[in-house]
Amino acid sequence: MATENRINFWRRNAKVPGSVQPVYGAQHPPLDPRLRRTYPKDTKPKFNNLKTKKASSFHEFARSTNDAWDIDEEEDEDFLGSPAPTLTLTSGLHSTSRQNQQNQADDTETGESHRLAPPRTEAQNFQDEQEEEEDAEHCEHVNGMVVKSSSEAHLNTSSVRSTLQKQQSLPVRPIIPLVARMSDQNASGAPPMTVREKSRLDKFKQLLASPNTDLEELRKHSWSGIPREVRPITWRLLSGYLPANKERRDLVLKRKRDEYFGFIEQYYHSRTDEHYKDTYRQIHIDIPRTNPLIPLFQQPAVQEVFERILFIWAIRHPASGYVQGINDLVTPFFVVFLSEFVTEDVENFEVAALPLDTQRNIEADSFWCMSKLLDGIQDNYTFAQPGIQNKVKALEELVSRIDEDIHNHFKRYEVEYLQFAFRWMNNLLMRELPLRCTIRLWDTYQAEAEGFTHFHLYVCSAFLIEWRKEILSMVDFQGLLMLLQNLPTIHWGNEEVGLLLAEAYRLKYMFADAPSHYKR
């Protein structure tokens, strides 16, 4: 039944019951990573579960992948009712959290933090290996076991951490540390703040401390990224949630937060009513799929916050209701506002440890900022989702002018832009990028005029061109779809997002006001 419903969704006149609109390909988990690899033409393996002949249409491809990225309704119930996988993952994540706490304690004793250490060279790593061999001679023997003295234990925290991360992995999709890492810096480590960064932070603080914040100047400085220390207040201002007048901000915050929890008291109990139970059921199913590899979002307290936010938004916007993918749009706001009260790693922080008033403030602010965002793109989520349809068509037309080779390659292998770009528009690239990259991307979106609508089109174009070589190397329909739905961005950081945004700005400058530029 679920397969039939999904295929009917793509037919021209299919009607979706109620306000819950399923989005094809928007659910977790993604495709099996074993199918994402690119192989030389001669050595590419043949997978038994794929069709041997080229699929002639997207519908045939959908039927041939055995619901690789979808979950049936019956499986949804099993997913919610079976705690075993969650317990396995959670226990491993708690172990990792405890190890991180121990490592932080060791770093504190030595007077420096491993997060501030510069990248290590190969020579330094080789020297460490030699020192480890020498230290082995000084190990103590206790009950027939070789152990190191406590004074030497802290020297190998990095190797212990690496071993633990290798052990804490899933059989199919290993938990790569960068998946859950929300640091602003790249994988090379977090260097100390440079003179330029300190100067930028001082400029932000000066703008925010003025009686009336100059929002245009604030947007100008935010385009190239917002410092972590001032990101929460800056996002509230740029999203229109807070006024520019400093004296009015506290009153506005109190009024809006009280208003949100008034909605909770008035409407949340109706989630089990006949009229809303389908909406709430879909929300309840989608919440555990939100960033499933990040421990923060697997906490019951956090999932309850998301359920309340999404349900209240859905019933207050009956034109669209809840649509799969909106759940992702809450996460950047929640993480940013949580970071205002958390100094350690946000991804492993126990939200229930915060004071209740703080939790309530984070929840209310996340709701209102998400609502401000969705106010500008709500036509993406109304019936038939015309906003997304128009944006995907615009992307196709733009790519045909920017890179004719990619456009013709898609036409040759019958790949339609809707088959991969629908999710790019529906989720604002959140399923394609790590969360840390999404937060950096949204710094620019908040600063750019019509960032989430108009500028996002050029970001998607630049993102597609980024994988030009890999796309042109794929010579079959299935390989192209698997690549485009599982692009290897796991190691991306600020540097890659900055280059992507620079290219998007170049494309906008060249094509936005020139509808016939490069037109054939």
Side-chain angles (χ1 to χ4, degrees), residues 8-41:
N8 287 337
F9 176 76
W10 287 93
R11 294 177 181 169
R12 183 176 297 275
N13 296 321
K15 294 184 178 179
V16 183
S19 63
V20 181
Q21 301 177 23
V23 176
Y24 192 90
Q27 297 95 332
H28 281 294
L31 294 176
D32 190 331
R34 294 173 296 181
L35 306 182
R36 298 198 309 220
R37 303 175 185 170
T38 56
Y39 298 88
K41 187 173 181 181

Side-chain angles (χ1 to χ4, degrees), residues 23-33 35-36 65-72 75-76 79 85 89 170 172-174 285-293 298 324 327-328 423 431-432 485-486:
V23 176
Y24 192 90
Q27 297 95 332
H28 281 294
L31 294 176
D32 190 331
L35 306 182
R36 298 198 309 220
T65 53
N66 297 324
D67 297 335
W69 59 79
D70 200 3
I71 300 179
D72 292 339
E75 293 174 340
D76 284 335
F79 178 78
L89 178 61
L170 296 176
V172 176
R173 292 186 300 153
I285 289 173
D286 286 347
I287 294 302
R289 301 171 180 169
T290 305
N291 296 295
L293 297 183
Q298 304 311 307
Q324 288 173 315
N327 56 307
D328 285 327
R423 191 171 73 181
R431 295 287 172 90
E432 277 58 51
Q485 292 179 350
N486 297 271

Side-chain angles (χ1 to χ4, degrees), residues 281-342:
R281 178 182 180 275
Q282 190 62 55
I283 293 173
H284 189 75
I285 289 173
D286 286 347
I287 294 302
R289 301 171 180 169
T290 305
N291 296 295
L293 297 183
I294 299 180
L296 173 68
F297 300 108
Q298 304 311 307
Q299 299 175 23
V302 175
Q303 294 185 356
E304 291 173 4
V305 166
F306 276 51
E307 286 183 4
R308 289 193 292 268
I309 290 176
L310 295 172
F311 180 77
I312 295 300
W313 188 89
I315 65 175
R316 294 187 75 245
H317 296 80
S320 62
Y322 173 73
V323 178
Q324 288 173 315
I326 295 180
N327 56 307
D328 285 327
L329 305 184
V330 187
T331 56
F333 292 113
F334 184 82
V335 169
V336 168
F337 297 145
L338 176 63
S339 66
E340 193 172 14
F341 305 95
V342 179

Side-chain angles (χ1 to χ4, degrees), residues 402-462:
I402 296 173
D403 197 319
E404 191 176 16
D405 291 340
I406 289 181
H407 183 70
N408 291 336
H409 194 69
F410 287 159
K411 291 176 62 177
R412 178 181 179 183
Y413 294 102
E414 302 180 11
V415 175
E416 299 179 10
Y417 286 77
L418 194 66
Q419 295 163 0
F420 63 89
F422 187 95
R423 191 171 73 181
W424 296 10
M425 303 300 177
N426 186 72
N427 301 92
L428 298 177
L429 287 177
M430 289 194 62
R431 295 287 172 90
E432 277 58 51
L433 298 173
L435 184 55
R436 62 185 179 277
C437 295
T438 297
I439 292 174
R440 168 62 189 91
L441 185 67
W442 283 23
D443 286 346
T444 300
Y445 280 2
Q446 303 251 29
E448 180 76 21
E450 299 181 329
F452 292 98
T453 54
H454 186 62
F455 188 64
H456 179 66
L457 171 65
Y458 296 95
V459 172
C460 289
S461 301

Side-chain angles (χ1 to χ4, degrees), residues 129-417:
E129 294 177 359
Q130 289 183 332
E131 291 176 355
E132 289 176 8
E133 294 177 358
E134 294 176 357
D135 291 340
E137 299 177 0
H138 303 286
C139 294
E140 301 177 0
H141 292 264
V142 179
N143 296 330
M145 299 177 62
V146 180
V147 296
K148 289 202 170 189
S149 61
S150 59
S151 61
E152 298 173 345
H154 70 277
L155 295 177
N156 295 318
T157 56
S158 60
S159 61
V160 172
R161 188 184 308 109
S162 176
T163 303
L164 182 64
Q165 289 169 346
K166 292 179 181 178
Q167 293 174 351
Q168 303 295 339
S169 61
L170 296 176
V172 176
R173 292 186 300 153
I175 301 179
I176 304 174
L178 284 177
V179 172
R181 190 170 178 269
M182 294 183 221
S183 171
D184 288 341
Q185 301 297 330
N186 284 343
S188 58
M193 184 177 294
T194 62
V195 175
R196 180 177 178 274
E197 290 170 343
K198 187 177 186 303
S199 176
R200 291 189 71 245
L201 178 59
D202 292 340
K203 182 62 177 178
F204 271 93
K205 290 181 177 179
Q206 180 181 352
L207 285 170
L208 297 171
S210 61
N212 288 283
T213 302
D214 187 343
L215 295 181
E216 288 302 318
E217 190 71 13
L218 187 63
R219 288 190 178 94
K220 178 181 176 182
H221 287 81
S222 300
W223 205 98
S224 56
I226 303 173
R228 183 180 186 272
E229 295 83 353
V230 295
R231 182 177 279 138
I233 181 65
T234 304
W235 274 28
R236 292 187 184 102
L237 286 167
L238 295 182
S239 64
Y241 176 44
L242 282 186
N245 185 277
K246 187 176 181 181
E247 293 181 356
R248 294 179 51 215
R249 291 175 192 170
D250 291 339
L251 293 176
V252 170
L253 278 177
K254 184 180 186 309
R255 177 173 58 83
K256 299 297 285 186
R257 288 166 177 172
D258 292 343
E259 184 179 357
Y260 168 72
F261 283 101
F263 294 151
I264 295 293
E265 295 177 3
Q266 186 175 0
Y267 298 115
Y268 192 60
H269 65 85
S270 64
R271 64 190 182 277
T272 57
D273 293 352
E274 185 68 23
H275 186 63
Y276 296 123
K277 69 177 183 180
D278 289 340
T279 298
Y280 178 72
R281 178 182 180 275
Q282 190 62 55
I283 293 173
H284 189 75
I285 289 173
D286 286 347
I287 294 302
R289 301 171 180 169
T290 305
N291 296 295
L293 297 183
I294 299 180
L296 173 68
F297 300 108
Q298 304 311 307
Q299 299 175 23
V302 175
Q303 294 185 356
E304 291 173 4
V305 166
F306 276 51
E307 286 183 4
R308 289 193 292 268
I309 290 176
L310 295 172
F311 180 77
I312 295 300
W313 188 89
I315 65 175
R316 294 187 75 245
H317 296 80
S320 62
Y322 173 73
V323 178
Q324 288 173 315
I326 295 180
N327 56 307
D328 285 327
L329 305 184
V330 187
T331 56
F333 292 113
F334 184 82
V335 169
V336 168
F337 297 145
L338 176 63
S339 66
E340 193 172 14
F341 305 95
V342 179
T343 56
E344 60 265 31
D345 294 336
V346 176
E347 56 266 26
N348 292 309
F349 183 77
E350 191 69 31
V351 174
L354 288 173
L356 182 59
D357 288 344
T358 300
Q359 297 181 44
R360 289 166 58 91
N361 293 342
I362 294 172
E363 178 178 346
D365 292 354
S366 300
F367 169 81
W368 286 115
C369 287
M370 184 200 73
S371 298
K372 292 287 187 181
L373 164 62
L374 289 172
D375 285 347
I377 59 173
Q378 191 174 352
D379 60 342
N380 286 6
Y381 306 103
T382 55
F383 181 74
Q385 300 178 274
I388 292 180
Q389 302 281 349
N390 292 333
K391 290 182 178 67
V392 172
K393 188 65 179 176
L395 177 66
E396 180 179 359
E397 192 272 338
L398 185 60
V399 172
S400 69
R401 294 157 59 194
I402 296 173
D403 197 319
E404 191 176 16
D405 291 340
I406 289 181
H407 183 70
N408 291 336
H409 194 69
F410 287 159
K411 291 176 62 177
R412 178 181 179 183
Y413 294 102
E414 302 180 11
V415 175
E416 299 179 10
Y417 286 77

